[in-house]
Amino acid sequence: MQTRTRQNVATALAGIAVIGGLAGCTASGSAADDTSGSADTPAESPATDTEYTDGEYTATGDYSSPGGEESVTVTLTLTEGTVTDLEVTGSGGSPNAERFQGEFIDGITEIAVGQDIDELNVSKVAGSSLTSGGFNAAIEQIRNDAS
């Protein structure tokens, strides 16, 4: 009888651990589009010698979040390979996505404007790490369109 009780307790504790781990993966949790910390982190991007045509470009970048597929639309002005103006809008498919996209949008202009487009690749902005993936995908499309 004592062995069976220990097995039941061990099984119950294992179940609680699994449920607790899954709870951190839900879209309704505060960590749905965040990793710990809030530092703005540019990711490394390989520099190229590509010449770009000056102008205004728009592209949409998709990314996956625990709440589903999301996207951000990036419109930027490119002058001699440098980002001189930037506007980003989000899809905001859920309250969490809307919040993280908003924080990203509030912080990205300061990081991106004045950057060479070949060096523009962010990993986390204002605590939002997943939104960066959509932004980087849109920037890649703009690089292709402008070259």
Side-chain angles (χ1 to χ4, degrees):
M1 184 79 162
Q2 203 171 25
T3 303
R4 184 172 221 173
T5 302
R6 286 183 185 160
Q7 287 175 337
N8 290 344
V9 169
T11 301
L13 290 174
I16 290 170
V18 168
I19 291 170
L22 291 175
C25 295
T26 65
S28 61
S30 64
D33 191 28
D34 190 16
T35 57
S36 62
S38 63
D40 298 337
T41 311
E44 293 203 22
S45 177
T48 67
D49 291 328
T50 304
E51 289 193 31
Y52 298 102
T53 303
D54 291 353
E56 184 176 278
Y57 297 90
T58 300
T60 299
D62 299 322
Y63 65 97
S64 295
S65 76
E69 290 299 309
E70 300 291 344
S71 65
V72 289
T73 301
V74 176
T75 300
L76 63 78
T77 302
L78 198 57
T79 306
E80 296 180 4
T82 300
V83 177
T84 57
D85 193 26
L86 177 72
E87 181 181 337
V88 179
T89 56
S91 61
S94 72
N96 242 9
E98 192 173 302
R99 178 173 67 100
F100 283 112
Q101 287 176 355
E103 291 172 0
F104 180 91
I105 290 165
D106 288 345
I108 190 62
T109 300
E110 182 179 313
I111 294 168
V113 172
Q115 286 281 339
D116 183 307
I117 194 162
D118 284 329
E119 296 174 6
L120 185 55
N121 183 9
V122 295
S123 62
K124 186 176 182 183
V125 176
S128 178
S129 57
L130 297 179
T131 308
S132 298
F135 177 81
N136 290 334
I139 293 298
E140 184 62 33
Q141 181 61 52
I142 290 170
R143 283 187 194 111
N144 292 334
D145 293 347
S147 59

